[in-house]
Amino acid sequence: MAFDYRRRILGYADRISVRPGHDIAFKIGLEGHERFDFKVVRVVCGVETPQGAPYREVEIETAADGSHPGRVQRIDAGSYGVVPKAPVLDRLSSFTFQAFVMPTLPGDGRQALFGRGSGPGRPGFSAILDEDGALALMVSDGGKPVTVSTGAPMLAWKWAFVSASYDAETGDVELRQEPDERYVSADSFAHVVGKAPRGVVFAAEHDLHIAAWQTGRHEDGRPRMTGHFNGRIDSPRLASGALAHRDMPRLARLDPARADRLVGAWDFSRDIPTDAFPDRSGNNLHGRLVNLPTRAVPGYLWDGSCHDWTRGPEHYGAVHFHDDDLYDAGWDTTVAMTVPETLKSGVYAARCRAGGDEFHIPFYVRPAPGAPRAKVAFLGSTATYLAYANNHWQIDEEKAEVKRGRIIAYTADELFLNERRDLGLSTYDTHRDGSGVVYSSRLRPIVLNFNPKSTVWSFNADTHVTGWLEHEGFDFDVVTDEDVHEEGVAALQDYNVIVTGAHPEYWTTAMWDALAAYFDRGGRMMYLGGNGFYWRIAYHPERPGTAIEVRRAESGARFWASRPGEYHHSFTGELGGLWKRIGRPPQSLVGVGTFATGFDRCGWYVKEPGVDENPRAAWIFEGVEGDIIGDFGALGGGAAGIELDGVDEALGSPPDVIVLARSDGHSAYYMQSPDEIVFNHAAVTGDANRRVRADMIYYTLPSGAGVFATGSISWAASLGWNGYDNDVARIAGNVLRRFADDEALP
């Protein structure tokens, strides 16, 4: 019998963090079922592990419980631009379109550049790349479109000036395809004249589209888009009349406001942090982008002299479109509910079941406004969950098994995602054209890394911490990354101690500043993970929390690298990349920072000599016998592994930090992080083993703040070993009880 890895029920929520008394909406899609059962559960521990913490969820009564009708909900991936219908477009007959174009997958089927209508029963036009990657123009009088092509394939990842004109009186079509003079060694120049039907009256009441064309509408009224373009478009222009070639440079200039017969002049170098792009023709044909194509990328005019789009936006007049971009799946709400006023702060999920299939949609419930606060808050790394959401690395990555030092057994979720590419990508993936994925959204079903009963990573790894908190009887609230980003230190200040999960890797500037302010006010943190506070990211400025942006600049452990000129976030204009590279190493915030990475087996900790006698730290090891700590665990067999953080005073670790223990037992597959290596030579890297370690640390600050850090991703998965009766859980419990107490730290 064949293994069935398909999922027939999927969903997502409109919010990830909510308070009692507030509403949350769930969007559920079904395949092969007409109804599904809905139940809210509190997620205690999100994944079962051998000899580790057991999976546990607790059912919660809500008014939304029960059976609900459902249906198939479609996902339309692929980015494009849309300019709403307008009378000036309806009057268009003869026309000229031109733009600078950089195709990244020429020859990969027909791809639209610019058009209106041109579907069955929809008189219209569309400038495209044909099946061979050559510039072409389709003109339709409502019947089968007539296509005129240059017949010369365009060059991948090379700029070209393209123009297409149509004369309604004669039916003449003229196409020009002029590669940038820098690429003449592989000439793709073409100038072609052809014929199309005369006197076409183009369809009124239709939007104009860039990088895709519309063939109709779905049953729910949304446009049916196809022919998505992969590549960059800069300075698209539209004029009435079939312009002669000598008139085109005037139309193409940067300031087109006075160009004759100009209908639209769209400027992608403006409003870069938003989905909007303005029309500079004076006709107010302003447009918007759909599904987050990549902005703040070098355009045709970029010459390497400017690397910050905020300082030279004229260099950044391009948008990079992809046929696999996805921001908002746009599903209809299936179940809406008001969070019960009495619901305790914690990690919850909507459990949806249909037939033999099941899907969880996690969300966090914060304390109600004005309600008493616990002394402990767990920080949900929701930005990191988004960075990893639906990643395809184990299937797409070359030599994945070599890198991990083991044979990979694909999970059902990974096999499912390999088929359902329309569910969107993670920031660890690349688009089909090889460019890195810089945006990730939560407004879509997330099958991997933000779903219970999946792998011990991201969300599920963090539930091993919340499961331990609950097992030990600690009263705690929850707060999320986006709460800290939006509210600043106010989201943290009521708590004596903040407890992280296993991997708080992705942080915005607002989050970093909030945590620093929390420490300045005497706050305490238990950083129970590794590779934290590593990448600087940005949230969507118009819809905070729904999408993040990552630019992988200069160095760091990464699956792809940002191209030159693309290091600054489009959402904020900030320099992206590692926090270390902008002068804020993780050591300066939490005492430790990333040293090394390995993916085969995990090691253990060895106490530092004399630490048991140190009056500032001896209390941490109460009830702990021997010097070996954590030589067990549900992730890699040990508490010290996967990604390791260590102390470095030169990078900002406090001079009086106490190193409690250091890791050992790492295999040869553990290597220093790329940002740790300044020159790849034996004379420099020969002592690499000294930096392949995790440091367990403790220190206090003059403000009264305290930090305990383990420096290891796998620590959290060792907490539940042997029914939580182990040294890893014992040490964590000692620290938490002391940190939660109002008394000053030693």
Side-chain angles (χ1 to χ4, degrees):
M1 181 177 177
F3 172 56
D4 188 357
Y5 53 80
R6 292 173 294 173
R7 284 185 176 270
R8 296 175 179 83
I9 181 166
L10 296 169
Y12 63 98
D14 67 336
R15 308 176 69 173
I16 202 170
S17 178
V18 64
R19 293 185 187 272
H22 293 185
D23 295 334
I24 183 169
F26 300 96
K27 290 93 172 17
I28 315 298
L30 294 182
E31 177 186 320
H33 301 283
E34 295 183 353
R35 303 189 69 85
F36 67 97
D37 291 323
F38 180 93
K39 185 69 178 176
V40 173
V41 297
R42 180 163 53 82
V43 180
V44 179
C45 186
V47 62
E48 188 91 24
T49 54
Q51 292 186 267
Y55 179 84
R56 186 178 170 219
E57 64 181 38
V58 178
E59 294 186 348
I60 305 296
E61 291 187 8
T62 72
D65 292 350
S67 177
H68 295 265
R71 62 178 178 81
V72 173
Q73 300 222 51
R74 184 190 60 261
I75 290 180
D76 292 323
S79 58
Y80 58 93
V82 58
V83 176
K85 57 189 178 184
V88 67
L89 295 175
D90 293 342
R91 295 192 293 268
L92 200 63
S93 138
S94 301
F95 68 88
T96 298
F97 160 74
Q98 65 179 49
F100 297 101
V101 174
M102 176 191 279
T104 53
L105 284 175
D108 188 50
R110 294 193 303 172
Q111 301 175 51
L113 300 175
F114 185 93
R116 190 173 190 240
S118 77
R122 297 163 53 85
F125 66 91
S126 186
I128 68 169
L129 299 186
D130 66 14
E131 290 86 348
D132 297 321
L135 176 67
L137 182 68
M138 297 193 310
V139 178
S140 171
D141 59 4
K144 183 178 180 180
V146 173
T147 302
V148 178
S149 171
T150 65
M154 294 182 68
L155 305 177
W157 289 96
K158 308 297 183 185
W159 283 109
F161 173 77
V162 301
S163 67
S165 66
Y166 166 74
D167 189 320
E169 292 186 5
T170 64
D172 289 341
V173 170
E174 184 173 4
L175 302 174
R176 295 190 74 90
Q177 181 177 300
E178 302 176 10
D180 186 280
E181 61 184 9
R182 291 168 287 186
Y183 315 129
V184 293
S185 60
D187 190 19
S188 63
F189 174 84
H191 177 209
V192 171
V193 175
K195 283 288 187 180
R198 292 187 298 169
V200 175
V201 178
F202 295 116
E205 297 298 309
H206 288 308
D207 297 335
L208 185 149
H209 293 98
I210 299 172
W213 67 73
Q214 182 178 349
T215 59
R217 291 192 177 274
H218 294 287
E219 297 78 5
D220 58 7
R222 288 193 291 171
R224 182 184 291 112
M225 307 302 298
T226 189
H228 292 279
F229 173 65
N230 286 287
R232 300 182 181 185
I233 298 177
D234 191 339
S235 303
R237 305 281 190 262
L238 181 65
S240 61
L243 298 184
H245 181 62
R246 63 179 178 274
D247 297 325
M248 290 183 180
R250 185 179 182 188
L251 183 62
R253 68 187 184 182
L254 280 176
D255 185 6
R258 298 181 182 275
D260 295 337
R261 295 190 287 182
L262 191 65
V263 175
W266 293 278
D267 188 349
F268 293 149
S269 72
R270 298 191 178 189
D271 301 327
I272 283 178
T274 74
D275 295 331
F277 58 93
D279 168 31
R280 299 176 61 195
S281 71
N283 289 322
N284 295 320
L285 296 177
H286 307 306
R288 64 180 177 84
L289 298 169
V290 178
N291 273 338
L292 280 182
T294 307
R295 305 195 75 169
V297 294
Y300 176 77
L301 292 177
W302 189 75
D303 59 7
S305 64
C306 178
H307 289 257
D308 179 353
W309 66 264
T310 66
R311 296 179 178 272
E314 67 276 8
H315 290 262
Y316 290 84
V319 170
H320 195 145
F321 299 92
H322 305 91
D323 63 1
D324 49 12
D325 283 327
L326 179 63
Y327 167 61
D328 187 352
W331 285 6
D332 294 332
T333 296
T334 315
V335 177
M337 80 171 199
T338 300
V339 177
E341 297 279 0
T342 57
L343 201 60
K344 185 186 183 304
S345 180
V347 186
Y348 294 85
R351 188 187 68 198
C352 305
R353 288 174 172 170
D357 201 12
E358 177 181 80
F359 194 78
H360 288 75
I361 305 169
F363 61 98
Y364 290 79
V365 175
R366 298 178 66 193
R373 299 292 193 268
K375 292 186 177 183
V376 178
F378 173 78
L379 178 60
S381 299
T382 49
T384 299
Y385 306 158
L386 284 192
Y388 285 91
N390 286 351
N391 74 68
H392 299 78
W393 63 18
Q394 297 213 121
I395 288 181
D396 290 354
E397 182 194 0
E398 293 184 7
K399 300 181 180 179
E401 293 183 342
V402 174
K403 290 182 180 180
R404 281 153 183 77
R406 57 183 169 82
I407 295 175
I408 295 173
Y410 295 122
T411 67
D413 288 338
E414 287 170 331
L415 292 171
F416 176 76
L417 283 174
N418 188 48
E419 289 193 1
R420 289 295 305 273
R421 299 284 172 148
D422 59 323
L423 294 177
L425 304 172
S426 80
T427 65
Y428 284 76
D429 296 320
T430 55
H431 294 287
R432 286 205 313 119
D433 65 7
S435 58
V437 177
V438 303
Y439 306 124
S440 179
S441 164
R442 61 172 172 78
L443 297 179
R444 54 177 172 136
I446 299 176
V447 176
L448 200 62
N449 295 312
F450 189 46
N451 202 314
K453 299 187 178 181
S454 187
T455 57
V456 188
W457 193 258
S458 271
F459 173 77
N460 282 326
D462 287 2
T463 65
H464 281 250
V465 177
T466 56
W468 164 73
L469 289 170
E470 178 151 330
H471 181 272
E472 296 297 307
F474 291 110
D475 184 28
F476 68 97
D477 295 337
V478 298
V479 63
T480 70
D481 284 349
E482 66 181 58
D483 298 324
V484 178
H485 176 82
E486 283 293 291
E487 301 172 16
V489 70
L492 305 173
Q493 65 186 8
D494 292 335
Y495 300 103
N496 284 13
V497 55
I498 304 297
V499 181
T500 78
H503 199 188
E505 182 177 6
Y506 292 85
W507 275 58
T508 67
T509 301
M511 291 162 58
W512 186 288
D513 292 345
L515 184 56
Y518 174 72
F519 289 148
D520 287 343
R521 300 183 184 193
R524 303 160 183 176
M525 170 168 274
M526 293 180 65
Y527 166 30
L528 301 184
N531 190 225
F533 317 95
Y534 192 65
W535 293 103
R536 187 193 210 184
I537 64 162
Y539 271 118
H540 197 296
E542 295 180 323
R543 294 176 289 278
T546 60
I548 64 165
E549 178 179 12
V550 180
R551 300 283 173 143
R552 301 194 184 276
E554 293 297 343
S555 69
R558 54 206 170 145
F559 282 64
W560 55 266
S562 291
R563 295 166 65 90
E566 299 179 17
Y567 294 171
H568 287 256
H569 293 131
S570 65
F571 288 168
T572 61
E574 296 172 317
L575 178 63
L578 299 185
W579 278 105
K580 178 192 291 187
R581 288 288 179 249
I582 62 166
R584 292 186 178 184
Q587 285 90 342
S588 69
L589 185 68
V590 294
V592 292
T594 300
F595 275 179
T597 299
F599 294 104
D600 57 341
R601 66 172 188 263
C602 297
W604 53 85
Y605 294 87
V606 180
K607 286 183 190 176
E608 284 290 277
V611 72
D612 284 328
E613 287 75 43
N614 187 325
R616 291 179 56 206
W619 56 273
I620 294 173
F621 294 106
E622 289 180 7
V624 176
E625 298 180 359
D627 293 334
I628 304 298
I629 300 163
D631 54 346
F632 51 82
L635 188 58
I642 308 299
E643 289 174 312
L644 309 175
D645 294 2
V647 166
D648 189 333
E649 288 191 28
L651 293 175
S653 299
D656 60 346
V657 65
I658 301 174
V659 177
L660 304 168
R662 284 193 161 136
S663 67
D664 199 353
H666 303 299
S667 76
Y669 282 98
Y670 275 75
M671 300 286 183
Q672 283 184 280
S673 181
D675 48 287
E676 284 284 297
I677 301 172
V678 294
F679 187 68
N680 196 15
H681 188 278
V684 179
T685 61
D687 64 344
N689 287 337
R690 184 176 63 84
R691 301 286 274 192
V692 178
R693 70 173 196 269
D695 290 339
M696 184 192 304
I697 66 164
Y698 164 69
Y699 65 91
T700 58
L701 297 171
S703 65
V707 173
F708 170 81
T710 63
S712 162
I713 282 182
S714 64
W715 173 276
S718 297
L719 287 166
W721 194 262
N722 190 35
Y724 299 95
D725 183 12
N726 62 75
D727 288 344
V728 169
R730 196 163 293 115
I731 289 170
N734 290 342
V735 175
L736 184 54
R737 278 184 287 272
R738 191 65 185 82
F739 274 25
D741 195 279
D742 294 330
E743 186 179 344
L745 295 172

